[in-house]
Amino acid sequence: MDHPADASAGSRWGLLADRDFRLLWAGQTISKAGSSITTVALPLVAVVELNASPLAVGLLTAAIWVPWLVLGLPAGVWVGRLPRRRLMITCDVVMGLSFATIPVAAWLHALTMVHLMVVAMLSGIASVFFSAAYQVYLPELVSSRDLIEANAKLQGSASVAQVAGPGVGGLAAQAFGAVSGLLADAATFIISATTLVLMRRNRAAEPQSSKGASEAVSGKPAPGTGKLRTDIADGFRFIVRDPYLRAITAFGAAANLALTAYQSIVILYLVRELHVGAGLVGPLAAVGALGGVLGAAVARPLCRCLGTARGVVIVQLTATPFAFLIPLASPGPGIALFVLGSTVLVAGVVAGNVVFASFRQAYAPPEMLSRMITFAMTINHSSIPLGGLLGGGLGTLIGLRATLWTTAAMLVAACGILLAGPIVLHRDLPTAPQAPAAESA
């Protein structure tokens, strides 16, 4: 299939010269900024407006992620049967309207913790479907050779949003009240929906579910007529039997577990071990996101120079040991070790995410793409609550600094998964599964 975005290949602006990608990029950047604001604003609303307990705040955070555990796998099947862009617009509108009800309820003095929980759950459900549809829509919007550039630009702007969002959320809460941040987030989802509506190309509006196209790839009937359980099982088998997808998914789950454990105690570490003042905690906690901008910027030239397979392995082996600098940090000038370790570590994580996301989008047959992506995302997101429990538990048992040594060792050990798989044997990752792997799906 030819992509109009190919015409922008010779432009110095790259994919940003393509109107539809530019709209998608702008909408997602604004939406990510709004979501980053919400990470501060939603707990603040619970604490400031409702005097919520630590347990209630924890449950509120968990409510956003629970839908991944329940709906992640079936969502992969349903997204393959639905018009992707229309689904993304619907999810944006649902999330925007849901968050808008919170300030309205607060102004009417009718806000309750149950209301916040329902909104968190609804936003989590919508996020599951949006994330799956978004990952499938991107390779339909740009050509396969542009996927690394597309993912790098999207992840780079998301990292910028992660830096700016919490600070903006804190300032907005201080100046206009805690609920103002959620109103801003609601507006960003509506802006994202508008950018999707304004896109001109409609080829991704309908799922690629014709029997002929699907059978040509895998020899299997297209999804849409089979049972949900059968389709989920087929997607599971496709990942488990494919050595590349199996290695990448296992590595992502292991690395995510260690990273979440680290992130769950980093604020306590900064305050109690490094004696950082309250005004610097936020900027230091977000400094890793600057590494994300760096990782997104170097991903494409690195892959062009070293190859996608060799490049991603070298990046992980180089960046993950920098995690050991974090527990070596000390109060005063020694905080520079924390900054350097966090920045390089996150740069490696984001560069890997760019390559792995692009590989999945180009590698999987169209009828398997949504199922494969949501399965991987479900496994990775399942590591978030486990990582939080691990970090908190280890921090209590062995101390904060010792826990950071442990999580750094876990990250380095996770690289062994990549070294043990077929990725390390090649310069570039394959663009399509071999016949036996495809037929097993």
Side-chain angles (χ1 to χ4, degrees), residues 151 155 312 316 346 348-360:
N151 281 299
Q155 295 236 13
V312 77
Q316 298 310 310
V346 176
V349 169
V350 171
N353 287 343
V354 168
V355 176
F356 290 145
S358 303
F359 164 69
R360 290 191 188 101

Side-chain angles (χ1 to χ4, degrees), residues 111-128:
L111 185 63
T112 65
M113 199 65 201
V114 172
H115 187 156
L116 291 184
M117 290 287 187
V118 170
V119 170
M121 190 72 73
L122 280 175
S123 68
I125 293 171
S127 179
V128 170

Side-chain angles (χ1 to χ4, degrees), residues 245-323:
L245 294 174
R246 186 172 62 241
I248 290 173
T249 303
F251 169 75
N256 209 36
L257 179 70
L259 286 168
T260 308
Y262 151 71
Q263 292 167 350
S264 69
I265 63 168
V266 68
I267 300 297
L268 286 173
Y269 175 67
L270 288 171
V271 172
R272 295 182 181 177
E273 298 288 337
L274 303 186
H275 309 297
V276 173
L280 288 177
V281 169
L284 284 174
V287 72
L290 294 175
V293 179
L294 174 64
V298 303
R300 190 183 180 202
L302 196 67
C303 289
R304 191 163 51 236
C305 178
L306 300 176
T308 52
R310 189 180 302 163
V312 77
V313 170
I314 290 175
V315 164
Q316 298 310 310
L317 292 177
T318 302
T320 51
F322 275 81

Side-chain angles (χ1 to χ4, degrees), residues 86-423:
R86 198 177 307 164
L87 177 60
M88 292 161 65
I89 294 170
T90 301
C91 291
D92 269 337
V93 171
V94 168
M95 288 187 280
L97 293 179
S98 297
F99 280 115
T101 65
I102 295 177
V104 171
W107 295 331
L108 295 175
H109 304 288
L111 185 63
T112 65
M113 199 65 201
V114 172
H115 187 156
L116 291 184
M117 290 287 187
V118 170
V119 170
M121 190 72 73
L122 280 175
S123 68
I125 293 171
S127 179
V128 170
F129 285 93
F130 184 96
S131 298
Y134 167 74
Q135 291 288 333
V136 178
Y137 183 77
L138 187 61
E140 296 172 349
L141 184 67
V142 305
S143 65
S144 59
R145 68 172 175 267
D146 289 328
L147 282 173
I148 288 181
E149 180 190 351
N151 281 299
K153 283 182 165 58
L154 290 163
Q155 295 236 13
S157 61
S159 295
V160 172
Q162 289 171 1
V163 175
V168 173
L171 291 174
Q174 184 175 359
F176 306 108
V179 298
S180 64
L182 297 180
L183 193 60
D185 192 17
T188 64
F189 283 119
I190 301 303
I191 293 172
S192 174
T194 302
T195 61
L196 290 169
V197 170
L198 292 175
M199 294 172 72
R200 291 171 179 166
R201 296 202 293 279
N202 296 315
R203 64 172 171 275
E206 297 299 331
Q208 298 177 3
S209 58
S210 66
K211 181 176 179 180
S214 182
E215 287 181 340
V217 176
S218 66
K220 296 283 184 180
T225 58
K227 292 183 178 179
L228 179 64
R229 184 179 301 177
T230 301
D231 284 344
I232 292 175
D234 286 344
F236 174 79
R237 284 192 294 269
F238 180 76
I239 290 180
V240 170
R241 294 177 180 177
D242 186 279
Y244 295 94
L245 294 174
R246 186 172 62 241
I248 290 173
T249 303
F251 169 75
N256 209 36
L257 179 70
L259 286 168
T260 308
Y262 151 71
Q263 292 167 350
S264 69
I265 63 168
V266 68
I267 300 297
L268 286 173
Y269 175 67
L270 288 171
V271 172
R272 295 182 181 177
E273 298 288 337
L274 303 186
H275 309 297
V276 173
L280 288 177
V281 169
L284 284 174
V287 72
L290 294 175
V293 179
L294 174 64
V298 303
R300 190 183 180 202
L302 196 67
C303 289
R304 191 163 51 236
C305 178
L306 300 176
T308 52
R310 189 180 302 163
V312 77
V313 170
I314 290 175
V315 164
Q316 298 310 310
L317 292 177
T318 302
T320 51
F322 275 81
F324 288 113
L325 294 181
I326 297 171
L328 284 174
S330 59
I335 292 177
L337 292 175
F338 174 87
V339 173
L340 178 61
S342 300
T343 301
V344 177
L345 175 62
V346 176
V349 169
V350 171
N353 287 343
V354 168
V355 176
F356 290 145
S358 303
F359 164 69
R360 290 191 188 101
Q361 290 164 342
Y363 183 75
E367 76 279 5
M368 280 293 172
L369 182 57
S370 61
R371 281 176 278 175
M372 180 266 292
I373 285 175
T374 51
F375 178 82
M377 294 177 76
T378 299
I379 295 298
N380 288 338
H381 287 144
S382 298
S383 300
I384 292 177
L386 294 177
L389 290 173
L390 178 64
L394 287 177
T396 301
L397 291 174
I398 64 177
L400 299 175
R401 200 177 293 270
T403 299
L404 292 177
W405 283 109
T406 303
T407 57
M410 291 170 61
L411 282 168
V412 173
C415 293
I417 298 174
L418 295 179
L419 296 177
I423 297 173

